[in-house]
Amino acid sequence: MTGQPLPEPAPSPTATDAGIPSTQRAARPRWRETLGLLARNPAAAVSGALLLLIVLVAVFDEALAPTGPNEISVEDRLQPPSLEHPFGTDDLGRDIFSRVILGAAVSLRVGFLAVAVALVIGSLIGLLAGFYGRWVDDVLMRIMDMLFAFPAVLLAIAVLAVRGPGSGNTALAIGIVYIPVFARVTRASVLGVREEVYVRASRSVGASDLRLLTRHVLPNAAPPIIVQTSISLAFAVLAEAALSFLGLGTQPPNPSWGLMLAEGRGFIDIAWWLAFFPGMAIFLTVLCFNLLGDGLRDVLDPRQRTLMAGGAR
Amino acid sequence: MTAPVLEVDDLRVQLRTPRGTAHVVNGLSYSVGPGETVAVVGESGSGKSVSVLALLGLLPQRVATVSGRALLQGEDLLSMPPERLRQVRGPGAGMVFQDPMTSLNPVLTVGRQIVEGLRAHADVNAAAARRRAAELLGEVGLPDPERALDRYPHELSGGMRQRVVIAIALSNSPALLIADEATTALDVTVQAQIIDLVERLQTDHGTGVIWITHDLGVVAGIADRVLVMYGGRCVEDGTVDDVLERPAHPYTRGLLGSLPDLAAPVGPGGEVPDLTTVPGLPPPPTDLPAGCVFWPRCPVRGDARCETEQPPLVQVGSGRSGHFGRELPHRAATWCSEEVR
Amino acid sequence: MLRRTGQSVVVLAGVSVIVFALVHLVPGDPIRLALGTRFSQETYDALRERSGLDQPLVEQFFSWAGAALTGDLGVSFRSGETVTSLIAERLPATLTLAFASILVALLIAVPLGTLSALRPRSLVDRGATVLSQIGISVPEFWMAIVLILVFAGTLGWLPSGGYVPLTEDPLGWAQRLLMPALVTGVVSGSVITRFVRSSVLEALGADHVRTAQAKGLPTRQVFTWHVLRNALLPLVTVTGVQLAYLLSGVVVVEIVFAWPGLGQLALQAVQARDYPVLQGAILLFAVVFLVINLVVDLLYTAIDPRIRR
């Protein structure tokens, strides 16, 4: 962005050793400290706990769901929430509670997969661009600009149009969309670390590039990437829901939250619970990832190098 | 005897911080006569900046508690209603800040920033205010003032910007000028120019000046009187000659010792005498020591009262009847002052 | 500035290659896919020749890109209409929605963000923080469905969707615009609120604000000219970026509210495998995105004296 002051040079390791808190070293041996600080942010702490719960639910989905995802029971169709069916039933008599639980597995799997794609490819590109600079940087970042010029949802739609719908392709599509974001964040972070004393010192004693990158640059450039990961997970879950809602993502009869919303939409005026509960599930999951991201940002990246949540919606 | 421009009596400032209440200024009293320059010196964190910001109500109200009295031309700044205080800022007291790189608004022209100050206090039309602004810029030594009016701060050098800030501070002919580390961010030649400028304007207008600095060289050059602050208290004050030549407080002596004295004789072997510095750090204002604020760092402590009883500010030496027809005693707050005498 | 424009041109060239490549990445024969199972060889050959698919790939690209430069984006596989005319038909609806949304977003964000910054940790601030966090996290289509349920269903105040041109029925136009603009506006508004808040907070703490106070300016004047003006300058950038996202991000909302915009066109093209239309729509969005970003950068250079040359 133009007109913004450049980030200050990163503090040197001597400042860290003197006990002055530094963002650069925060990530490496200080997991406990990070968690401690995070726990002091109630929103982030609650979000983290809730996310852990959601992930556990997604992992043990089949054990937890009272019924199978596609157990049709015609006499039970369109039942409002009750003790037997906490979230009610849909037009085919399927238990929505069970489908929301099983949908968690689908939505989170796509979300994590998508972010993994973006994280691995994007960070690698950013790392190379930031570390080697010059023409490598120019070429790689110009390509990232091209990818970034595509509107996020539309790019995902285009990828799905080419590859066809389905969960795996949805993850790929969302992952591709987020590659340039990770590339930019990583590059900026690496640029901040590259000229640090300890990196130059290791270089001067003849450490190989690979060793430099993996031992010194990456660990110290990690905090903003971690923050970005949390925020990107929020985006990915939301995007998976949107694409499934449009009929391009997860295909029926698989219970994805976005798909359930699309199916429930037609019944909104006679059976609100069809669309309400999956919508709530999306909302809560996304909210938790965003809040956790904000909390992590406060702890790990006080200079706010990562994109704001929603900045790339 | 001329009435002082400013009389500060028992000024206290507390700031609420995440680490507890910070007692930043703890009972400060002094006065500034017309045409007189009072230098307030001390390390960073001694409360000197906060003490003047408090006078003009420029501390964030949500965290600052200010008490005491500060009569500017007979009116108490600390108890006046906000609107009156606004009217006083400018014509009553002008202020020059430390960093000319940030103390001007980067997106407004220099002219606009002077004009708005003028028009906030006097009913003048835009054209007249602009003419006056150009005059002011000429007065503070900006070349081609007419054109400078339409410049943005980033188009000027640091020294030029500080001249603009001074022009703004002086635009309403204040009775009191407060310079808060006004030359610290500038290089030495520009520093000297700015000091000359302020002295000249002071002589022309009879303005009282409070000059806050940690640079004792500047103090020697500009001040009539000196007030040494430590831990939010005045630990020594007096005429510039008294304080710099006959320092009574161990802290002042430490400060002076830490100056490389260019006039000091070079040792027989040609070695330059060591710099004596004050070892340690000033106490955190959230946790001031009981007794003398300086005792934890004091090289000559030893009096039983040092750790328990706060030394009062008492006259040391002869005291002298100074200029401006006022008594200008030399005072220090230390249990060691007898030993000094 | 020339450099900046040059960069945009390079990126645009790359973008057009990617867009072009999209269609040719489709496994199989795009025309066969588009036509489905029942078609005559004549139809097939005619379409194939008209879309130039019988030419070598590189030649195809240059004739496509060359034509695109003159505004010719080819012909729809489905309707046979030119892609340009299809897009031109849909563009006003999307532009209307995008601008209405950004208006809603700014109307929410500027007052709310400013108030929060003026009273940090107050009730207003905490409320605004919670609301913007919700706004960022809520799925647009879900909010859209809920709004339709309440305002079109239960209360019956507004039509559930559709579009009429402003010139034909101003009231109907406004009624149909309100809900979609609100949904997308709330989401963008949440992002911008957070930005305004941090921007105003930063401006409030700036040294020059103290200078302005010290010269005795009235509080309102200090706030307007030394805080707000400085804080809102970068808002131009953020608003531009949000507008660019809105232009494409409204796809889902367009579907829910049956708003006949470009997003709907693009989705229909995907479903019908109408690749020239999809190609044209994506290219247009990318161009619009680049142009808006370029304009925002140039505009910012013009209004911020610090980077004016």
Side-chain angles (χ1 to χ4, degrees):
Chain A
M1 216 182 290
T2 10
Q4 296 281 319
L6 293 166
E8 301 163 31
S12 70
T14 37
T16 319
D17 297 336
I20 297 160
S22 146
T23 51
Q24 294 306 320
R25 291 269 301 258
R28 220 182 342 178
R30 302 203 172 166
W31 280 111
R32 190 171 298 186
E33 188 184 321
T34 304
L35 280 174
L37 281 168
L38 207 57
R40 274 199 261 158
N41 176 342
V46 171
S47 302
L50 209 55
L51 280 174
L52 200 65
L53 185 73
I54 294 172
V55 170
L56 285 177
V57 165
V59 169
F60 298 106
D61 54 346
E62 292 191 10
L64 288 168
T67 69
N70 298 315
E71 272 176 37
I72 294 169
S73 159
V74 183
E75 61 268 33
D76 280 342
R77 58 194 301 268
L78 294 179
Q79 293 293 311
S82 63
L83 275 180
E84 196 188 345
H85 301 289
F87 292 176
T89 62
D90 68 4
D91 54 318
L92 296 174
R94 297 177 293 194
D95 179 44
I96 294 180
F97 182 65
S98 301
R99 284 177 68 78
V100 166
I101 288 178
L102 296 158
V106 176
S107 295
L108 287 185
R109 196 181 311 130
V110 172
F112 279 115
L113 213 60
V115 174
V117 168
L119 177 70
V120 170
I121 302 178
S123 300
L124 189 66
I125 292 175
L127 196 61
L128 296 176
F131 188 73
Y132 289 106
R134 291 193 279 194
W135 68 267
V136 181
D137 186 23
D138 272 346
V139 170
L140 288 177
M141 292 323 283
R142 221 40 76 222
I143 294 173
M144 289 299 104
D145 282 353
M146 289 168 195
L147 215 50
F148 205 63
F150 288 98
V153 176
L154 217 68
L155 180 57
I157 289 178
V159 172
L160 287 172
V162 172
R163 311 243 343 151
S167 297
N169 285 342
T170 310
L172 182 69
I174 300 168
I176 290 176
V177 167
Y178 245 43
I179 287 174
V181 174
F182 275 95
R184 285 183 177 193
V185 170
T186 307
R187 173 178 176 271
S189 191
V190 168
L191 283 180
V193 180
R194 193 175 60 168
E195 295 308 323
E196 287 289 323
V197 184
Y198 50 88
V199 175
R200 276 184 293 170
S202 315
R203 199 190 306 245
S204 69
V205 297
S208 71
D209 280 3
L210 188 68
R211 189 182 157 79
L212 271 177
L213 280 171
T214 51
R215 297 276 306 185
H216 296 286
V217 176
L218 201 55
N220 287 292
I225 305 172
I226 295 170
V227 176
Q228 191 63 53
T229 303
S230 181
I231 293 169
S232 301
L233 280 166
F235 168 83
V237 169
L238 210 51
E240 189 276 334
L243 292 170
S244 298
F245 180 81
L246 293 176
L248 299 169
T250 308
Q251 296 298 301
N254 290 329
S256 140
W257 291 335
L259 190 62
M260 289 169 74
L261 244 172
E263 290 165 353
R265 192 180 143 205
F267 300 91
I268 188 75
D269 36 4
I270 53 166
W272 55 269
W273 53 92
L274 260 65
F276 178 80
F277 290 106
M280 207 62 197
I282 301 169
F283 168 63
L284 278 180
T285 310
V286 174
L287 185 67
C288 287
F289 276 126
N290 273 332
L291 289 175
L292 183 66
D294 278 5
L296 283 170
R297 187 208 315 273
D298 290 344
V299 176
L300 293 177
D301 182 32
R303 274 174 278 137
Q304 315 268 306
R305 282 170 298 192
T306 32
L307 295 179
M308 283 243 265
R313 266 180 85 160
Chain B
M1 155 169 176
T2 339
V5 178
L6 177 75
E7 259 189 298
V8 177
D9 186 25
D10 197 29
L11 178 72
R12 288 168 192 274
V13 182
Q14 279 130 42
L15 299 176
R16 273 207 315 256
T17 73
R19 263 172 261 125
T21 305
H23 300 267
V24 184
V25 181
N26 305 296
L28 197 61
S29 305
Y30 61 96
S31 65
V32 184
E36 187 185 23
T37 299
V38 175
V40 179
V41 298
E43 290 165 285
S44 53
S46 60
K48 47 195 198 314
S49 283
V50 170
S51 73
V52 287
L53 289 172
L55 294 181
L56 293 183
L58 294 176
L59 293 172
Q61 285 171 4
R62 243 174 292 117
V63 296
T65 319
V66 181
S67 66
R69 226 160 42 118
L71 302 182
L72 181 72
Q73 297 177 300
E75 257 187 294
D76 186 10
L77 291 167
L78 303 184
S79 63
M80 62 176 56
E83 175 56 19
R84 178 66 195 140
L85 185 60
R86 178 189 77 71
Q87 290 166 355
V88 168
R89 293 176 188 152
M95 191 151 176
V96 179
F97 298 94
Q98 172 170 0
D99 187 357
M101 295 306 181
T102 58
S103 54
L104 289 169
N105 187 334
V107 302
L108 298 178
T109 61
V110 163
R112 154 104 213 209
Q113 295 186 58
I114 303 175
V115 165
E116 65 179 2
L118 286 167
R119 300 189 75 191
H121 299 287
D123 187 17
V124 286
N125 65 35
R130 199 180 147 84
R131 274 197 304 279
R132 176 80 187 109
E135 268 174 46
L136 280 162
L137 286 182
E139 218 176 308
V140 297
L142 248 76
D144 200 355
E146 278 292 337
R147 274 190 54 210
L149 284 179
D150 295 320
R151 301 223 177 216
Y152 287 93
H154 71 276
E155 298 171 304
L156 304 173
S157 69
M160 288 299 148
R161 285 194 225 184
Q162 198 62 311
R163 286 168 194 263
V164 172
V165 178
I166 291 171
I168 291 174
L170 293 175
S171 59
N172 287 292
S173 320
L176 178 70
L177 180 73
I178 301 171
D180 183 1
E181 302 269 14
T183 56
T184 308
L186 305 173
D187 64 52
V188 185
T189 27
V190 184
Q191 203 171 22
Q193 290 167 4
I194 297 286
I195 289 170
D196 282 350
L197 171 68
V198 172
E199 282 192 314
R200 184 165 52 77
L201 296 170
Q202 182 182 18
T203 323
D204 293 354
H205 301 279
T207 317
V209 174
I210 300 177
W211 194 285
I212 292 179
T213 182
H214 62 263
D215 184 339
L216 291 167
V218 172
V219 175
I222 194 169
D224 299 308
R225 287 196 300 126
V226 184
L227 190 158
V228 182
M229 272 187 87
Y230 186 81
R233 299 201 176 101
C234 170
V235 293
E236 179 162 7
D237 68 351
T239 63
V240 67
D241 292 349
D242 278 340
V243 174
L244 296 191
E245 284 170 22
R246 288 172 290 281
H249 197 282
Y251 176 63
T252 317
R253 280 185 278 148
L255 280 182
L256 287 165
S258 45
L259 267 185
D261 188 351
L262 297 177
V266 177
E271 75 273 22
V272 179
D274 276 356
L275 294 182
T276 40
T277 46
V278 187
L281 293 167
T286 44
D287 188 22
L288 291 177
C292 175
V293 274
F294 187 60
W295 79 261
R297 290 169 80 187
C298 187
V300 296
R301 66 178 180 231
D303 192 294
R305 292 164 297 178
C306 284
E307 296 183 28
T308 51
E309 203 177 325
Q310 193 183 315
L313 194 61
V314 293
Q315 181 147 345
V316 292
S318 57
R320 39 179 76 188
S321 180
H323 31 325
F324 312 110
R326 282 194 295 144
E327 279 290 309
L328 294 175
H330 181 197
R331 301 180 298 173
T334 172
W335 296 122
C336 308
S337 52
E338 286 88 349
E339 171 218 311
V340 174
R341 251 185 296 188
Chain C
M1 196 176 293
L2 218 65
R3 194 183 135 81
R4 178 71 184 75
T5 315
Q7 272 180 5
S8 294
V9 172
V10 172
V11 171
L12 182 59
V15 161
S16 66
V17 173
I18 298 176
V19 171
F20 176 79
L22 267 178
V23 170
H24 297 271
L25 285 175
V26 178
D29 182 340
I31 294 182
R32 210 172 283 277
L33 282 169
L35 288 178
T37 44
R38 303 176 56 147
F39 56 90
S40 66
Q41 190 61 38
E42 289 87 71
T43 328
Y44 177 83
D45 289 341
L47 202 51
R48 190 171 165 81
E49 204 191 313
R50 261 172 76 193
S51 35
L53 287 173
D54 48 353
Q55 308 285 318
L57 212 57
V58 179
E59 215 163 288
Q60 275 185 50
F61 172 72
F62 282 108
S63 63
W64 173 78
L69 278 178
T70 66
D72 175 10
L73 292 168
V75 179
S76 162
F77 283 173
R78 274 296 150 102
S79 64
E81 285 179 74
T82 64
V83 173
T84 314
S85 71
L86 281 172
I87 287 176
E89 211 173 278
R90 303 293 191 103
L91 195 59
T94 290
L95 286 179
T96 307
L97 182 52
F99 279 102
S101 304
I102 211 75
L103 191 69
V104 171
L106 288 176
L107 284 177
I108 296 172
V110 173
L112 204 58
T114 309
L115 277 178
S116 322
L118 283 179
R119 301 262 175 282
R121 292 166 188 281
S122 69
L123 217 61
V124 177
D125 183 30
R126 284 168 201 272
T129 307
V130 171
L131 280 181
S132 63
Q133 198 57 261
I134 291 175
I136 289 167
S137 306
V138 75
E140 289 155 331
F141 42 96
W142 190 49
M143 186 165 39
I145 291 171
V146 172
L147 284 187
I148 290 174
L149 175 65
V150 174
F151 290 103
T154 314
L155 296 174
W157 291 351
L158 295 168
S160 68
Y163 174 79
V164 289
L166 172 65
T167 43
E168 278 172 31
D169 177 7
L171 183 67
W173 173 83
Q175 282 178 330
R176 285 169 178 81
L177 180 59
L178 190 62
M179 278 200 287
L182 209 60
V183 170
T184 44
V186 163
V187 174
S188 284
S190 301
V191 178
I192 303 177
T193 302
R194 303 180 78 177
F195 177 81
V196 170
R197 180 181 183 274
S198 63
S199 189
V200 170
L201 261 182
E202 195 188 313
L204 275 171
D207 281 356
H208 69 255
V209 175
R210 216 173 41 188
T211 313
Q213 282 178 306
K215 61 187 159 185
L217 296 188
T219 311
R220 181 181 302 233
Q221 204 175 336
V222 173
F223 184 69
T224 315
W225 289 100
H226 295 272
V227 176
L228 215 49
R229 188 188 149 91
N230 295 56
L232 295 189
L233 273 181
L235 187 61
V236 172
T237 310
V238 176
T239 306
V241 171
Q242 281 296 320
L243 184 64
Y245 282 125
L246 273 176
L247 277 170
S248 62
V250 294
V251 180
V252 185
V253 173
E254 282 186 0
I255 303 300
V256 181
F257 287 104
W259 188 263
L262 285 173
Q264 211 188 44
L265 181 73
L267 190 71
Q268 284 163 355
V270 172
Q271 282 157 349
R273 299 175 192 280
D274 197 345
Y275 293 106
V277 174
L278 183 63
Q279 235 176 6
I282 293 176
L283 184 66
L284 182 86
F285 277 127
V287 169
V288 167
F289 184 89
L290 287 173
V291 168
I292 289 181
N293 273 305
L294 183 63
V295 168
V296 160
D297 274 6
L298 299 184
L299 196 64
Y300 196 77
T301 317
I303 58 171
D304 190 332
R306 278 167 295 190
I307 43 177
R308 197 184 290 164
R309 297 256 60 200

